[in-house]
Amino acid sequence: MKEVIAIVRINMMNQTKQALTDCGVDAFFAHEAQGRGVGFVSPALLEGAVQGYEEAAALLGEKGKLYPKRMITAVVEDSMVGCVVETIINTNQTGMPGDGKVFVLPLGDAVRVRTGETGMKAIS
């Protein structure tokens, strides 16, 4: 069992939901998120702000802002991870900064509160 977490652009959410459903993932969570990648902030600008240069700090205020995104979380069988990751990438990849990230984490167990079922039975 794995947890797949994806950060995607807001405008790609509908296509991503449909693509995940087509891949066989019907159950997932979508959360509002804000963030930025390393590519959006110049290291020299950060260093200038750290050293106390007001001009750098002022520029960082705009370039360092957080961008609205969506975070998708899905728990899937190990055998589905490749399809899920590939689907998210193929749906969201534009080649531009800000396309998103995908994280795959091991999951020890899951428990369905209503029935007490555990493991894959709890998520299917």
Side-chain angles (χ1 to χ4, degrees):
M1 208 171 9
K2 299 277 195 251
E3 180 179 22
V4 179
I5 301 171
I7 310 297
V8 301
R9 296 176 193 271
I10 291 175
N11 65 330
M12 298 303 289
M13 194 59 206
N14 287 335
Q15 296 95 312
T16 305
K17 288 188 299 186
Q18 184 61 53
L20 285 172
T21 300
D22 294 344
C23 179
V25 180
D26 293 320
F28 52 86
F29 294 96
H31 314 272
E32 291 182 5
Q34 294 184 0
R36 66 171 183 252
V38 175
F40 286 120
V41 179
S42 164
L45 191 61
L46 281 174
E47 183 61 30
V50 167
Q51 292 179 3
Y53 292 101
E54 291 181 22
E55 299 85 7
L59 285 172
L60 187 60
E62 178 61 27
K63 292 188 183 262
K65 73 178 187 175
L66 300 177
Y67 296 91
K69 299 286 186 176
R70 289 293 179 262
M71 182 170 70
I72 301 166
T73 305
V75 176
V76 299
E77 296 182 39
D78 290 354
S79 62
M80 297 226 10
V81 170
C83 177
V84 171
V85 171
E86 185 176 321
T87 296
I88 292 168
I89 291 171
N90 290 341
T91 305
N92 290 277
Q93 189 175 57
T94 67
M96 300 296 294
D99 280 349
K101 297 274 191 289
V102 179
F103 306 95
V104 179
L105 296 91
L107 200 59
D109 202 1
V111 180
R112 185 185 314 263
V113 173
R114 178 175 46 92
T115 63
E117 294 170 302
T118 61
M120 290 308 301
K121 288 183 179 182
I123 65 168
S124 43

